[in-house]
Amino acid sequence: MALVVIADQIIKIYVKTHFALRESVEVTPWFYLSFIENNGMAYGMEIFDKYFLTIFRIVAVGAFSWMLHKELNRVTMGFVVVVALIIAGALGNIVDCVCYGQFFTDSYGHVAQCTLGTDLEGYAPWFRGKVVDMFYFPLVRFWWPEWVPAASETVNFQPLSFNFQFTWPDWLPCSNEPFEFFKPIFNFADAAISVGVALLILCYYKTLNRFQEE
């Protein structure tokens, strides 16, 4: 857990102190370091209020840690590692939310500066910091063919003798927008959580079922 949190924070602090917001560096054609910040959950999702989300993360980490401690002698080492990945990933993002707003200046148009030991002010109150993301993997990119409607285009649909008109939504494939996979930008903590949750479901569902039965 300590290694994951330390590695996550080293990467985030480096990006925060060397990149301006939205700055991107191509490492390979399919891998970029692209600095963004988000208020939400993993991969930039925003569902709940910031304070609620931060408190929820802290409570979830406490619950998972308590469960791991309680069941330590009854589970395999693999299960311990998987749960530890989830806890460590959550802790990594909690540090951003709780501390970064006070520890750094903003990154709009310039590289952020550390406020510790200076007269500089942070960009947000405690518990209101933003999560630093940087890993961008556009593995597949292509443009949809011209016969695919563009976003907000009016489409005439004529099945049989009926005639319908509707506006093509932007969440469907659009000929004026490229298709990208994988589009979300994430950080090391997000990756630890995702890998941990996937392994927990795929490899340790029997253990989870046993906890539910008890």
Side-chain angles (χ1 to χ4, degrees):
M1 287 173 58
L3 289 175
V4 171
V5 173
I6 291 171
D8 177 63
Q9 289 302 308
I10 289 175
I11 297 170
K12 288 175 176 175
I13 292 172
Y14 176 83
V15 170
K16 183 73 176 171
T17 56
H18 289 78
F19 286 67
L21 195 62
R22 299 289 177 182
E23 185 177 351
S24 183
V25 173
E26 179 180 342
V27 180
T28 72
W30 48 266
F31 171 42
Y32 290 74
L33 285 177
S34 298
F35 173 34
I36 66 168
E37 294 179 312
N38 74 78
N39 283 314
M41 303 174 71
Y43 304 103
M45 294 183 292
E46 296 189 20
I47 301 176
F48 304 108
D49 177 76
K50 184 68 177 182
Y51 276 120
F52 177 84
L53 183 59
T54 303
I55 297 300
F56 173 80
R57 281 177 172 149
I58 295 172
V59 171
V61 165
F64 268 82
S65 300
W66 175 80
M67 181 192 74
L68 188 62
H69 173 73
K70 181 183 177 182
E71 304 293 337
L72 197 58
N73 296 325
R74 302 176 55 199
V75 295
T76 64
M77 180 56 68
F79 183 84
V80 173
V81 171
V82 166
V83 175
L85 278 175
I86 299 172
I87 295 172
L91 278 173
N93 285 334
I94 286 172
V95 172
D96 296 30
C97 296
V98 174
C99 303
Y100 275 27
Q102 287 291 301
F103 287 179
F104 296 101
T105 60
D106 69 79
S107 301
Y108 295 102
H110 55 82
V111 175
Q113 299 182 56
C114 181
T115 62
L116 299 178
T118 71
D119 295 330
L120 299 173
E121 294 185 0
Y123 68 86
W126 294 101
F127 288 83
R128 284 283 185 179
K130 296 181 179 180
V131 176
V132 175
D133 293 330
M134 74 293 295
F135 296 137
Y136 174 41
F137 288 89
L139 300 177
V140 179
R141 280 179 174 175
F142 64 85
W143 288 87
W144 293 101
E146 293 183 358
W147 54 264
V148 176
S152 302
E153 179 181 340
T154 300
V155 178
N156 293 311
F157 182 56
Q158 298 177 333
L160 301 178
S161 59
F162 298 97
N163 185 16
F164 296 101
Q165 285 188 344
F166 64 94
T167 301
W168 191 259
D170 58 6
W171 50 267
L172 287 176
C174 303
S175 59
N176 59 338
E177 295 181 359
F179 172 83
E180 290 187 10
F181 179 86
F182 180 71
K183 194 172 184 178
I185 301 175
F186 60 97
N187 59 44
F188 191 76
D190 295 335
I193 295 172
S194 299
V195 171
V197 170
L199 291 176
L200 194 64
I201 295 172
L202 295 175
C203 302
Y204 298 100
Y205 60 91
K206 292 183 179 179
T207 304
L208 294 176
N209 289 335
R210 190 186 75 204
F211 289 158
Q212 290 180 342
E213 292 173 358
E214 295 176 356

